[in-house]
Amino acid sequence: KTTEDHPHLQALVLDLRGHGHSGSPQGPHTFTECAKDVERTLETLRKAQPLLPPLKTVIGHSWGGRIALQFAYNLTQNKYNLQPPPRTWLLDTVPGVAHSSVHHVLKAIKRIQIDPSSMENQKKVDKKEIVQLLLDQDLDISMAQWLASSAKVQPEDHTIKWGFDVDVVEGVLPEFATHDFYGMIDKLCQGSKNRVDLVRAGQNDAWTEEAIDKLHHMGGDGFHLHMLPNAGHWVHVDDLPGLLDTFQAEGLE
């Protein structure tokens, strides 16, 4: 939508490791390794297209925001052969340990089984049935619909292939507790060259008053905290107009 409205902008949309169409390389699965994936992708692309314009902005949602932050921070430490982007956007990336709902989702999808008779009768299991299976595991409707949107049933063993690799997600989870989220924002925002914008979903109960207060008092002039009061965690779905307005108001490049 943003590139449609602003033709001078170019966007590269990446599936992170173990997600979407990206593969699952051998571990360890850490934020640092995920950030290296992004760096290697950009390096390969730049070799293929030498006239590609310099990177201006990195945007990540949820744990993708953690990787965006790690990637931008690593660039300022001269760890890669790329120039650091002036802007980093974190979309409802909550600091601290992974929310309990993440563990609940992982346990739920492991318990789900497809009735083999559905496959034997050559009945195609549709998305509505997968949504219901997820609801039966006490997941909320928005999470169930999101998970089902990329799910595919494997006819050979009646299992569901999700849009992400569970092993990769479980490998990254311990990183949440040790990730230097606040420290990297502070270091990234030192001086006037780099800026970090964090968009908080007002309806996401994973946010604590402590985390919000700490973010309000850090980063100096280089850090900006925004809020979409009516959006849940999926800010780009719940309030896309509000998100785009925030981008435009802050001068997305």
Side-chain angles (χ1 to χ4, degrees):
K1 176 63 177 175
T2 300
T3 53
E4 288 176 359
D5 293 343
H6 305 280
H8 66 285
L9 296 178
Q10 295 180 338
L12 178 65
V13 183
L14 303 181
D15 285 337
L16 300 175
R17 68 164 58 190
H19 286 69
H21 296 290
S22 289
S24 301
Q26 187 173 359
H29 302 302
T30 64
F31 289 127
T32 296
E33 289 302 313
C34 291
K36 287 180 180 178
D37 293 341
V38 177
E39 182 269 336
R40 285 189 285 261
T41 300
L42 292 176
E43 279 288 286
T44 300
L45 184 62
R46 192 163 294 283
K47 289 178 181 178
Q49 301 183 38
L51 299 181
L52 198 70
L55 186 65
K56 294 289 187 69
T57 303
V58 178
I59 303 174
H61 171 256
S62 193
W63 84 299
R66 299 254 190 169
I67 297 170
L69 179 63
Q70 183 76 56
F71 172 72
Y73 171 75
N74 286 351
L75 291 184
T76 65
Q77 305 304 300
N78 298 316
K79 291 188 177 182
Y80 303 146
N81 296 319
L82 298 168
Q83 291 297 314
R87 302 287 294 274
T88 302
W89 284 83
L90 315 178
L91 306 185
D92 208 46
T93 301
V94 184
V97 299
H99 193 256
S100 59
S101 61
V102 178
H103 299 279
H104 178 55
V105 168
L106 292 176
K107 289 179 181 178
I109 62 178
K110 287 180 178 180
R111 290 194 296 261
I112 289 178
Q113 294 182 336
I114 298 293
D115 181 1
S117 64
S118 297
M119 307 301 294
E120 291 168 3
N121 296 332
Q122 296 185 335
K123 175 185 173 226
K124 183 178 180 181
V125 179
D126 62 24
K127 301 295 183 183
K128 290 182 179 179
E129 291 177 272
I130 296 177
V131 167
Q132 187 57 54
L133 289 170
L134 292 163
L135 293 176
D136 291 342
Q137 296 295 327
D138 294 325
L139 297 184
D140 63 60
I141 185 64
S142 60
M143 177 60 72
Q145 290 174 335
W146 176 72
L147 288 168
S149 66
S150 59
K152 296 180 180 178
V153 178
Q154 307 300 296
E156 61 275 7
D157 58 4
H158 312 133
T159 59
I160 298 177
K161 179 177 175 60
W162 304 99
F164 57 89
D165 186 324
V166 174
D167 290 338
V168 171
V169 176
E170 289 185 327
V172 172
L173 281 183
E175 288 270 295
F176 281 73
T178 59
H179 195 221
D180 189 16
F181 186 86
Y182 299 108
M184 281 192 287
I185 289 178
D186 255 344
K187 293 171 184 175
L188 193 56
C189 292
Q190 287 177 359
S192 59
K193 292 184 178 181
N194 305 308
R195 170 171 165 164
V196 176
D197 290 84
L198 195 157
V199 180
R200 178 170 74 87
Q203 299 300 312
N204 183 1
D205 62 7
W207 284 97
T208 64
E209 290 299 326
E210 179 184 2
I212 296 169
D213 184 67
K214 191 167 185 177
L215 288 170
H216 274 300
H217 293 89
M218 67 176 301
D221 294 337
F223 178 72
H224 298 263
L225 182 62
H226 315 273
M227 184 179 72
L228 297 177
N230 299 318
H233 181 56
W234 311 103
V235 290
H236 54 295
V237 176
D238 295 344
D239 190 5
L240 180 59
L243 180 61
L244 295 178
D245 287 344
T246 303
F247 285 158
Q248 185 170 358
E250 299 300 326
L252 179 67
E253 296 184 87

